[in-house]
Amino acid sequence: MERRIIKLRKFMNENDLHAMLVSKPENVRYFSGFSGSAGMLLITNNSNKLLTDFRYIEQATAQAKQFEIIRYSATLWKTLADLVKSSDLSKIGFEGDFITYDGYLEVVDTLPMISLVPVKLDNLRMAKDDAEIVSIKKAVEIADNAFLQILSFIKPGMTEQDVALQLEYYMRKLGAEKPAFDTIMASGARGALPHGRASEKVIEVGDFVTMDFGAVYKGYHSDITRTICMGKANTRQKEIYGIVLEAQLAGVKAVAPGKVGKEIDTVSRDIITNAGFGEFFGHGLGHGLGLNIHEEPRLSPTNIHTVLLENMVVTVEPGIYLPNWGGVRIEDTVLVSTEGCQILTASNKQLIELD
Ligand SMILES: [Mn+2]
């Protein structure tokens, strides 16, 4: 935690800020350890304060050991204003990408003498430290094991919702706090929906079933997608699966420190485009993940600036989605290493045909 605060102070100095107001829950947790839903950090060059309400005093005291815990009663902004007025802070950074417009008006109103500077802190979380990597690996392992179990559970005649519910149950049994997001379970023609949440559709023999899911462990997310076939795959299914798998393997192989997101996206995208399906791969290749399911760095055609560094964790997830037919996506979570990457996801990627 100490190293993270040092990183934040360095950022404050570089941006000429006297203090930083941290309000996004993921960032509050990252810098303080506090995981409650109401709380804000005020960090200066020589003090760490956590403002929260009476419901969380005990939890904050236990979790945020390096912080002075301040209880606010009326409103957080009023308490904050009192703190700031009694100090010589005049230029304070805040998270412009999180605060609401109403909240902003309230701060400006309460702190008219302060110069408020909108900044983004999320990039400070891109490279993961050892403790974070341990949690992500555990979240990945839970998802892998749940997938293995669901392979013997899923049968034609079940609805997508039946299978998704069981998958989430397995993950919880294996230690997940919750699913990383609404489980995507898209069978048959629904596979053409890249984000088709589990529906009442009945899974039938011959369907491709795309499952995209993840677990949250100690606040950290995992993200995996596998597409399996209920029964024997036909020629067309094998062809599309083969192209996506080739693109996925090449994308993973391309992940390395020093590259920008677009370079890696291009490697996978070229394979799909050259096979004639470029227009049916309409999303970026992957994304960072950690305390959020979607974080920087993005592996996408638009990311030409953010360079990958060792210990960043990203997904590689190409797909092909054909209207009225279905789709295939294959996704792994990988850890950027000194020269390339370590694949964290252990689940089989060869086409699984369940009889
Ligand atoms: Mn993903």
Side-chain angles (χ1 to χ4, degrees):
M1 218 55 78
E2 188 61 41
R3 283 176 194 276
R4 298 180 191 175
I5 296 170
I6 290 169
K7 197 157 62 170
L8 180 60
R9 292 214 167 99
K10 187 162 166 277
F11 173 88
M12 283 158 45
N13 291 335
E14 283 163 4
N15 289 277
D16 205 20
L17 301 170
H18 300 138
M20 184 66 218
L21 200 57
V22 182
S23 53
K24 201 183 273 189
E26 295 82 24
N27 289 335
V28 168
R29 181 168 189 167
Y30 183 74
F31 291 112
S32 74
F34 174 62
S35 63
S37 63
M40 196 177 275
L41 309 178
L42 180 68
I43 296 178
T44 70
N45 269 319
N46 49 32
S47 72
N48 305 324
K49 294 185 168 68
L50 192 165
L51 287 69
T52 188
D53 67 45
F54 96 102
R55 292 171 300 168
Y56 286 118
I57 298 300
E58 211 170 309
Q59 183 184 341
T61 309
Q63 292 182 323
K65 296 214 185 306
Q66 303 185 36
F67 279 71
E68 179 191 344
I69 313 299
I70 295 171
R71 174 179 163 179
Y72 63 81
S73 42
T75 79
L76 194 155
W77 304 115
K78 175 77 173 63
T79 309
L80 182 69
D82 292 343
L83 283 175
V84 171
K85 275 175 197 157
S86 61
S87 69
D88 55 357
L89 308 170
S90 61
K91 199 174 168 194
I92 301 183
F94 74 101
E95 297 185 273
D97 58 349
F98 182 74
I99 202 165
T100 62
Y101 181 68
D102 286 355
Y104 175 74
L105 291 183
E106 205 173 338
V107 192
V108 172
D109 192 46
T110 333
L111 299 168
M113 62 307 214
I114 300 294
S115 150
L116 287 162
V117 184
V119 295
K120 288 183 169 64
L121 296 180
D122 292 9
N123 283 6
L124 298 177
R125 290 194 280 116
M126 282 195 296
K128 270 60 184 176
D129 56 37
D130 292 349
E132 295 185 283
I133 291 169
V134 168
S135 294
I136 291 172
K137 282 183 175 172
K138 178 70 183 172
V140 169
E141 188 189 310
I142 290 170
D144 273 332
N145 286 332
F147 177 66
L148 205 55
Q149 294 193 38
I150 213 71
L151 288 179
S152 44
F153 174 85
I154 187 171
K155 300 279 182 312
M158 291 175 175
T159 67
E160 293 171 351
Q161 281 171 342
D162 292 334
V163 182
L165 178 65
Q166 189 65 26
L167 185 56
E168 291 176 9
Y169 174 79
Y170 286 142
M171 288 198 292
R172 291 292 296 268
K173 283 292 270 188
L174 291 162
E177 287 159 26
K178 57 181 179 180
F181 47 87
D182 289 340
T183 296
I184 291 167
M185 184 73 58
S187 62
R190 290 192 79 248
L193 309 170
H195 273 184
R197 277 189 295 173
S199 75
E200 291 172 344
K201 179 190 171 297
V202 172
I203 295 168
E204 293 170 57
V205 174
D207 277 357
F208 256 177
V209 185
T210 298
M211 307 178 202
D212 184 351
F213 58 97
V216 178
Y217 181 78
K218 290 190 179 170
Y220 285 84
H221 295 71
S222 60
D223 197 359
I224 171 177
T225 308
R226 289 293 182 267
T227 302
I228 62 167
C229 192
M230 298 307 295
K232 286 282 170 210
N234 61 36
T235 313
R236 179 74 162 164
Q237 285 173 322
K238 282 181 183 162
E239 180 204 3
I240 305 290
Y241 193 92
I243 297 164
V244 175
L245 180 59
E246 190 190 341
Q248 206 274 346
L249 292 170
V252 167
K253 213 172 162 194
V255 173
K259 294 184 182 178
V260 296
K262 183 185 167 132
E263 282 176 80
I264 299 152
D265 179 278
T266 302
V267 170
S268 288
R269 195 167 302 279
D270 282 354
I271 290 170
I272 292 175
T273 303
N274 291 337
F277 295 97
E279 62 177 303
F280 303 106
F281 173 30
H283 57 77
L285 180 65
H287 53 89
L289 83 177
L291 286 170
N292 282 120
I293 181 63
H294 295 126
E295 300 184 354
E296 300 301 324
R298 309 279 165 165
L299 306 187
S300 74
T302 55
N303 178 11
I304 53 169
H305 295 299
T306 316
V307 177
L308 290 190
L309 297 172
E310 195 180 349
N311 293 333
M312 289 184 181
V313 179
V314 294
T315 68
V316 177
E317 49 178 310
I320 293 177
Y321 314 93
L322 302 175
N324 304 315
W325 181 81
V328 173
R329 180 168 63 256
I330 304 168
E331 172 182 32
D332 286 336
T333 299
V334 307
L335 169 66
V336 182
S337 59
T338 38
E339 286 179 352
C341 75
Q342 180 192 346
I343 305 174
L344 302 183
T345 310
S347 295
N348 179 20
K349 282 191 283 203
Q350 297 303 318
L351 179 57
I352 295 170
E353 299 170 296
L354 291 178
D355 45 26

